[in-house]
Amino acid sequence: MENLDIAKVFYEIADLLEIKGDNPFRIRSYRNAGLVIEGLPVNIKSILERNEEELEEIPGIGESLHEKIVEMLKTGKCHFHQELLKELSPTLLDLLKVSGVGPKKVKLFYDQLGIRSVEELEKAGKEGKLRDLPGMGEKSEEKILKGIKSLKAGAGRFGLAVGLSYANQIVEYLRKMSGVVDVVPAGSLRRWKETIGDLDILVTAKKAGPVMDRFIAFPDVASVVARGETKTTVVLKNGMQTDVRVLEEKAFGSALQYFTGSKAHNVAIRDRAKRMGLKISEYGVFREKDEKWITGETEEEVYKAVGLPWIPPEVRENRGEIEAAEKGRLPELIKVEDIKGDLHVHTKESDGGNTIEELVDYAVKKGYEYIAITDHSKAVGIAHGLNEERLLKQIEEIDKFNKRLTAHGSRFTVLKGTEVDIKGDGTLDLDEKVLKKLDIVIGAVHSRFNMPEDEMTTRLIAAIETDLVNVIAHPTGRLLTGREAYPLNMEKVLEAAKKYNVAMEVNSYPDRLDLNDIHCKLAKDMGVMLVISTDTHMKQHMDNIRFGVNTARRGWVEKKDVLNTRPLNEVLKLLKKK
């Protein structure tokens, strides 16, 4: 089992215990364990193989959880998890994938109507049996039916982080072979799309046969769909189809361009080539009149053949990138190295897993100049949010911490902040006098996601107009694995953000990626500043910054468009309110 597999088991145990109505502290311990394991920078299997005692050094993992990790690594299963699934039925977990359905609602549907599956939930909704349940209503019923429809529409797709994890494992696995020259993931994964349907792995090697033999022996292969001379298709144990193609070195660039896509981009490139008397395929660039091969060893050569500079994979969606390339106006896209600090970080004071000192140590190792501590406000009770008194105490603690950093010759700075809840009427969850003592105020919606579009738009604009908020976090509230974005007039919100000098967050958490690429481009075009943050709850989550950066790249975002690419003095100047 990999880190993500173990984390998933702990998340499922937490969900099942919550459905049962178990102890909240016990539930939280399993959720936190999932966060810890998911965020580990090393493969937990390698820790066990090296020295089992090192598992005890993982923060937040007690003796019981330690035993379960060892059990899963040695047997591939967790007995406690299996017992819960037998008791409650594994199909109950599928209900949690429906937008608007959490563990409490699953318990309600199960207790009141005996609903165990998405199909049964849909049937009950269509028959009008959900609306009369406690806390429900006709609108809630309609929302659940809509969520089921969206879930079915997205079936067979996987989150970017899941695809990346498996792709990296396969790439590393195949690269260990003698005779392999290069291994590169292509497809929507290389374009950093937020979800992917399958994996495409391209290989250059001296002989194809041994590569195919090794690929079908990959431990996570569940079945072999087809094994050919140059292409083999398998289905992994998580249901993801994966293709490996072995190519000649002379055609590697053209194949990489072809299989990276998108389809719309490739069609436009081929049309351009045709007008120039050329033909482009995965095998190279050919002269159309006599089928003579011209080039194709690198992607740069393919684009040069049609009179264009190389186009970054993230923007290959036929959204104007070809015209921009032709005119020499492709943006200089932001890079991970441009980020100088993380402005959305949680500590143990709310629902994080690390102390300020631990977070700072990790941020310093990443080369950052600053982080902002932005624990939840009191309205988010499940996250142990801070009230005014606790926040004032944290402000004092951060001031003292910064003085100690200065005394030790460090130039690193911890910013005082909060992720303050935006209430239904647009007011903020903390007193104005306390908010004004902070370096950064991040406003966020954590409740009443089913408000109509005009009301939700008014809610966010009202929060912006308080002139107390610096950033709007995860602005559409979506979770890629289970919650649709709430209805919102983004253009109106961005107009208000521009007027009041409020930045919009690109949340790097892989299940959020919110703002999405389209909204990033809209914000850039409207002159609204962006912040790329990780919403860190475990220090290792800071490494997720690459997901936010690449989402922003898909939206044509440049370094100048992002607040936290600037040094601290500029950040503080831009954050300062009237």
Side-chain angles (χ1 to χ4, degrees):
M1 297 183 81
E2 304 295 329
N3 292 16
L4 286 174
D5 300 317
I6 294 171
K8 182 184 176 185
V9 169
F10 283 147
Y11 290 143
E12 288 187 358
I13 288 174
D15 288 335
L16 290 165
L17 289 176
E18 192 167 355
I19 291 168
K20 283 185 66 176
D22 210 295
N23 185 309
F25 294 102
R26 190 184 187 199
I27 294 166
R28 185 178 294 175
S29 72
Y30 278 103
R31 285 227 169 89
N32 287 342
L35 287 169
V36 170
I37 301 303
E38 185 181 354
L40 283 177
V42 297
N43 192 314
I44 199 166
K45 282 193 297 190
S46 64
I47 299 176
L48 180 66
E49 290 167 358
R50 185 170 61 245
N51 182 2
E52 184 178 328
E53 291 182 1
E54 288 186 31
L55 291 174
E56 297 176 10
E57 298 174 14
I58 301 174
I61 302 296
E63 184 179 348
S64 174
L65 293 170
H66 172 200
E67 290 174 357
K68 287 179 174 63
I69 291 170
V70 173
E71 179 190 1
M72 283 187 273
L73 288 172
K74 289 184 175 180
T75 70
K77 294 180 180 180
C78 171
H79 179 72
F80 181 55
H81 178 239
Q82 295 294 312
E83 288 299 309
L84 284 173
L85 290 173
K86 285 180 184 177
E87 179 184 351
L88 293 173
S89 176
T91 54
L92 284 178
L93 291 170
D94 294 335
L95 296 175
L96 295 171
K97 298 175 184 176
V98 178
S99 177
V101 176
K104 291 180 180 177
K105 275 199 171 71
V106 172
K107 179 174 172 58
L108 174 69
F109 300 151
Y110 179 66
D111 290 345
Q112 298 286 326
L113 298 174
I115 291 173
R116 291 172 174 263
S117 67
V118 173
E119 290 71 22
E120 290 174 358
L121 180 64
E122 184 176 33
K123 184 173 183 291
K126 288 179 176 178
E127 292 174 356
K129 293 180 179 179
L130 302 179
R131 63 186 68 182
D132 296 327
L133 296 176
M136 289 291 290
E138 191 172 343
K139 286 187 177 179
S140 296
E141 186 177 68
E142 289 174 1
K143 187 185 176 195
I144 286 172
L145 287 172
K146 185 180 177 183
I148 292 171
K149 184 178 179 181
S150 296
L151 178 66
K152 289 182 175 180
R157 297 197 68 80
F158 300 84
L160 177 60
V162 174
L164 195 63
S165 174
Y166 280 95
N168 287 342
Q169 291 175 54
I170 294 169
V171 167
E172 183 181 351
Y173 175 79
L174 294 178
R175 273 186 179 157
K176 290 178 180 177
M177 288 187 66
S178 61
V180 167
V181 178
D182 203 0
V183 188
V184 179
S188 52
L189 184 78
R190 187 168 179 243
R191 302 200 315 279
W192 287 82
K193 284 201 70 173
E194 58 197 30
T195 63
I196 62 170
D198 52 26
L199 290 178
D200 290 290
I201 311 289
L202 306 185
V203 181
T204 46
K206 293 177 180 178
K207 292 183 179 180
V211 175
M212 299 310 183
D213 291 338
R214 182 167 174 80
F215 175 47
I216 62 177
F218 181 64
D220 274 299
V221 169
S223 62
V224 178
V225 177
R227 186 196 187 286
E229 291 295 319
T230 58
K231 176 189 172 184
T232 292
T233 300
V234 306
V235 175
L236 302 179
K237 290 177 182 177
N238 71 342
M240 187 185 303
Q241 180 174 303
T242 302
D243 294 341
V244 164
R245 290 177 170 86
V246 179
L247 312 157
E248 294 181 35
E249 287 186 59
K250 66 176 268 185
F252 187 71
S254 53
L256 184 57
Q257 193 280 329
Y258 181 87
F259 288 110
T260 293
S262 67
K263 183 178 179 180
H265 175 87
N266 284 356
V267 167
I269 291 293
R270 290 200 298 271
D271 286 347
R272 181 183 178 89
K274 191 171 184 178
R275 292 194 297 271
M276 299 171 71
L278 301 172
K279 185 173 73 172
I280 294 179
S281 73
E282 64 264 45
Y283 304 108
V285 181
F286 299 84
R287 198 162 56 197
E288 193 168 31
K289 64 179 181 180
D290 56 8
E291 299 286 325
K292 182 182 178 182
W293 184 89
I294 297 174
T295 190
E297 193 167 346
T298 68
E299 279 194 319
E300 286 80 0
E301 291 173 357
V302 173
Y303 283 103
K304 185 178 180 181
V306 292
L308 297 173
W310 180 78
I311 297 175
E314 296 91 336
V315 299
R316 297 181 194 174
E317 301 290 347
N318 198 28
R319 295 174 184 163
E321 71 276 7
I322 295 172
E323 293 79 3
E326 188 175 41
K327 296 173 183 176
R329 293 178 182 172
L330 278 174
E332 189 175 339
L333 300 177
I334 186 170
K335 302 184 292 292
V336 170
E337 306 87 74
D338 294 328
I339 301 295
K340 294 188 180 296
D342 199 327
L343 296 177
H344 189 166
V345 175
H346 296 271
T347 74
K348 283 184 173 180
E349 278 298 304
S350 61
D351 59 343
N354 294 102
T355 63
I356 294 174
E357 185 173 8
E358 289 168 341
L359 291 164
V360 168
D361 285 346
Y362 201 82
V364 168
K365 289 174 184 175
K366 289 183 69 66
Y368 285 171
E369 298 177 12
Y370 50 84
I371 59 171
I373 301 301
T374 55
D375 283 315
H376 289 287
S377 63
K378 59 183 184 290
V380 191
I382 192 170
H384 192 49
L386 280 64
N387 58 20
E388 285 81 357
E389 183 181 354
R390 289 174 62 208
L391 183 53
L392 286 169
K393 185 178 177 182
Q394 188 181 69
I395 289 171
E396 291 179 12
E397 182 186 350
I398 292 172
D399 282 338
K400 291 176 182 176
F401 190 89
N402 279 327
K403 286 179 181 178
R404 291 198 299 273
L405 287 173
T406 303
H408 285 86
S410 173
R411 294 185 177 181
F412 193 92
T413 301
V414 181
L415 301 183
K416 297 164 288 194
T418 181
E419 184 180 0
V420 63
D421 201 66
I422 299 173
K423 299 179 183 178
D425 61 358
T427 58
L428 306 179
D429 184 40
L430 290 169
D431 185 83
E432 179 178 339
K433 293 179 181 178
V434 177
L435 292 175
K436 285 186 173 181
K437 293 178 182 290
L438 299 170
D439 298 310
I440 182 170
V441 175
I442 297 178
V445 170
H446 293 107
S447 62
R448 297 184 62 189
F449 298 115
N450 59 348
M451 293 176 71
E453 180 181 309
D454 58 340
E455 292 181 23
M456 185 63 81
T457 302
T458 299
R459 178 183 184 179
L460 281 177
I461 291 175
I464 290 169
E465 289 177 345
T466 63
D467 212 21
L468 295 167
V469 174
N470 301 108
V471 182
I472 297 295
H474 37 77
T476 72
R478 73 172 185 174
L479 289 174
L480 289 169
T481 54
R483 186 171 69 216
E484 289 185 339
Y486 40 69
L488 191 68
N489 187 321
M490 183 57 73
E491 193 167 350
K492 285 185 178 180
V493 172
L494 291 175
E495 285 171 356
K498 173 72 174 174
K499 180 178 179 181
Y500 285 86
N501 190 32
V502 171
M504 304 297 282
E505 182 186 63
V506 184
N507 190 291
S508 302
Y509 191 69
D511 283 348
R512 286 192 184 274
L513 305 184
D514 181 13
L515 297 174
N516 66 16
D517 53 349
I518 302 296
H519 290 151
C520 284
K521 181 73 161 56
L522 181 61
K524 173 187 169 70
D525 291 344
M526 292 178 67
V528 176
M529 186 65 69
L530 296 171
V531 167
I532 304 177
S533 302
T534 60
D535 202 349
T536 283
H537 285 71
M538 297 297 300
K539 62 184 181 181
Q540 296 89 350
H541 290 170
M542 287 189 207
D543 297 334
N544 286 335
I545 196 71
R546 58 186 175 149
F547 290 97
V549 167
N550 282 288
T551 296
R553 285 171 65 89
R554 285 180 56 78
W556 297 46
V557 172
E558 300 176 83
K559 179 180 178 179
K560 64 183 175 63
D561 303 316
V562 179
L563 177 63
N564 52 318
T565 62
R566 290 165 164 75
L568 180 63
N569 61 332
E570 286 188 39
V571 170
L572 291 174
K573 184 178 179 181
L574 288 166
L575 288 174
K576 191 173 183 180
K577 287 289 184 179
K578 295 189 287 291

